[in-house]
Amino acid sequence: MKPYRYAFRHLAATTVIVLLPVASAHALDANAFGTRLKGLVAEQGADINWTSLTESGSQIVLEGVTIGAQGKPDKVNLGDVTLNDVTEENGGYRVGTLTLPNYSTTEEGVTVDISGATINGLVLPAENSNDVMASLMLYSDAKLANVSVKKGDKSLASLENLHVEITPIADGKPLEFSAAAEKFSADLSQTEDAQTKAVIDALGYQSIAGSLTMAGSWQPKDGHIALSKYNLSVENAGTLGMTFDLGGYTPDFIKSIKDLQKQIAAQPAGADNSAQGLAVLGLMQQLTFGSASIRWDDDSLTKKALDFIASQQGQKAEDIANQAKAIVPFAMMQLNNPELTKQVTEAVNKYLTDPKSIEIKAKPGSEVPFAVIMAGAMSGQPQELTKTLAVSVSANED
């Protein structure tokens, strides 16, 4: 799997540039622009540098740009980054369009190519701004046209038309965001682990393709953040969907988490980070849990999995399904929650008889502080959390 790790390390570093706004510029003071840019990128835990900065009217060009995690020697060489339609706005800056050059790198026979990366409507607030959103450097939309990962002349993975849209806060309404990757694909036949490859071959997923969509909202004033959609779909397999609703995720909370991350990163290798770890746990107690769900909509994966397990054990798929149905009630008994046990048993029976969808939800009547959840998890009866969070399970429902 080493080629995959290498490829995705470079992809992640470059995707950060697309999904994390970088900077803006002031046409009349390029030096101030550069200083502000480096400072804001540093607040995000990264270092950015360039060999030269040129200005022409409302256009800024950063030549020889490199970026990487703070304190780490590995840097990604991006080349020349162009910022067009740069204007001063409320003491800060606004960039009409930031364009990244096409990027290609090869290591140990694996080549990563990235093209068509742009950010539109990028806002760089003024330094010491009182705006609670100042440190987030928001934009209106970002796009990444294509990513490909190859080993020699064989394609390992690809991603097409990744885009993110953000609607800023207005008239008291929360910030809204959406994103999608119109298509991704991967060649799993290149997997090196023999056991994993045997399962992939048996299920018929030597190559996969699919898409990703997500949407949500955030209200900084009270820290209410909701992921209303996160659907990962794989053709001829199914769709995994997730949602959540949390409270307390305020800009102050985000800043505190970032500060702790910087402290941990600054520690020498092997240092004791237990104090920072306890601090993180303390901050997590500021959050509240509203709801969450995870859902699977089947598109033939379940039948393939049952057939595979049956072939391994010399049985029929129906026998494996019946065995699973019989085991579930006994496995659920340890939760000491008769109502949930009944729900899960009925849902599993219904799903394995006719695999369409199965969903797990947690939706308490009112928000539950994370402190209560953490205390429950560390108590002698963690099974009580299923009641506290009002966990339910259903199958084959729209």
Side-chain angles (χ1 to χ4, degrees):
M1 298 296 289
K2 189 173 183 180
Y4 289 96
R5 291 196 300 269
Y6 157 72
F8 290 119
R9 173 165 59 85
H10 283 275
L11 172 58
T14 305
T15 303
V16 164
I17 304 302
V18 176
L19 300 182
L20 174 65
V22 180
S24 179
H26 190 304
L28 300 178
D29 194 340
N31 290 330
F33 156 72
T35 300
R36 186 70 176 130
L37 166 58
K38 290 184 177 181
L40 284 168
V41 172
E43 288 184 14
Q44 311 307 316
D47 288 326
I48 186 169
N49 289 286
W50 49 84
T51 57
S52 65
L53 183 157
T54 60
E55 171 194 329
S56 177
S58 63
Q59 183 185 77
I60 297 288
V61 178
L62 306 176
E63 300 178 359
V65 174
T66 59
I67 190 167
Q70 287 178 345
K72 304 297 182 181
D74 293 337
K75 305 295 180 184
V76 175
N77 187 352
L78 296 179
D80 299 347
V81 176
T82 303
L83 302 95
N84 286 314
D85 299 323
V86 180
T87 57
E88 185 173 357
E89 185 176 271
N90 300 322
Y93 307 96
R94 181 181 180 86
V95 179
T97 301
L98 183 152
T99 303
L100 293 167
N102 293 344
Y103 174 78
S104 180
T105 184
T106 300
E107 185 176 318
E108 297 184 3
V110 177
T111 299
V112 178
D113 292 304
I114 301 174
S115 62
T118 60
I119 299 173
N120 295 314
L122 177 61
V123 175
L124 178 63
E127 191 171 6
N128 300 320
S129 171
N130 293 323
D131 184 355
V132 296
M133 308 296 287
S135 64
L136 301 182
M137 297 182 292
L138 296 177
Y139 52 83
S140 60
D141 64 89
K143 298 177 182 179
L144 184 59
N146 186 269
V147 179
S148 69
V149 182
K150 296 181 178 180
K151 185 175 183 180
D153 59 354
K154 293 183 178 181
S155 175
L156 297 180
S158 67
L159 178 71
E160 297 178 16
N161 195 19
L162 170 66
H163 53 91
V164 181
E165 294 80 31
I166 297 176
T167 302
I169 297 171
D171 301 324
K173 295 181 180 179
L175 176 148
E176 296 182 347
F177 58 88
S178 62
E182 302 295 342
K183 183 179 180 180
F184 66 81
S185 63
D187 180 4
L188 303 184
S189 67
Q190 302 297 312
T191 301
E192 297 175 355
D193 182 76
Q195 291 184 333
T196 303
K197 190 174 188 304
V199 175
I200 290 171
D201 291 342
L203 295 177
Y205 292 121
Q206 292 88 348
S207 62
I208 60 171
S211 60
L212 171 67
T213 58
M214 65 178 292
S217 63
W218 180 44
Q219 179 54 268
K221 289 183 179 180
D222 59 13
H224 180 259
I225 184 168
L227 183 67
S228 57
K229 176 195 292 185
Y230 185 95
N231 290 341
L232 178 65
S233 299
V234 178
E235 296 173 6
N236 300 316
T239 298
L240 179 66
M242 292 179 284
T243 68
F244 67 75
D245 192 310
L246 303 177
Y249 195 77
T250 62
D252 285 342
F253 174 85
I254 296 172
K255 182 179 184 303
S256 296
I257 289 292
K258 287 182 178 178
D259 289 343
L260 281 171
Q261 290 175 335
K262 290 179 182 178
Q263 291 177 26
I264 293 173
Q267 293 274 38
D272 182 8
N273 293 322
S274 57
Q276 287 82 2
L278 289 173
V280 171
L281 289 176
L283 284 172
M284 294 297 290
Q285 295 186 39
Q286 298 178 23
L287 301 178
T288 58
F289 177 89
S291 65
S293 70
I294 182 167
R295 177 186 175 101
W296 173 256
D297 286 276
D298 192 65
D299 185 16
S300 78
L301 175 60
T302 300
K303 182 180 183 304
K304 292 174 182 177
L306 290 173
D307 287 340
F308 170 70
I309 296 171
S311 67
Q312 294 292 101
Q313 299 184 9
Q315 297 179 303
K316 296 180 180 179
E318 293 83 357
D319 298 331
I320 301 300
N322 289 332
Q323 290 172 19
K325 293 176 184 179
I327 292 172
V328 168
F330 296 99
M332 292 294 297
M333 287 178 63
Q334 61 181 327
L335 293 180
N336 192 28
N337 189 334
E339 182 180 353
L340 181 60
T341 296
K342 183 175 182 292
Q343 284 186 3
V344 173
T345 301
E346 292 177 350
V348 170
N349 287 349
K350 190 175 183 180
Y351 179 78
L352 290 178
T353 300
D354 182 19
K356 292 181 179 178
S357 69
I358 190 163
E359 184 173 19
I360 304 172
K361 292 182 179 179
K363 192 173 183 180
S366 59
E367 292 187 346
V368 178
F370 265 53
V372 172
I373 297 175
M374 294 166 64
M378 294 184 289
S379 71
Q381 295 181 315
Q383 64 270 23
E384 291 299 311
L385 279 175
T386 59
K387 299 175 183 177
T388 302
L389 300 179
V391 176
S392 63
V393 181
S394 61
N396 299 351
E397 294 184 1
D398 294 334

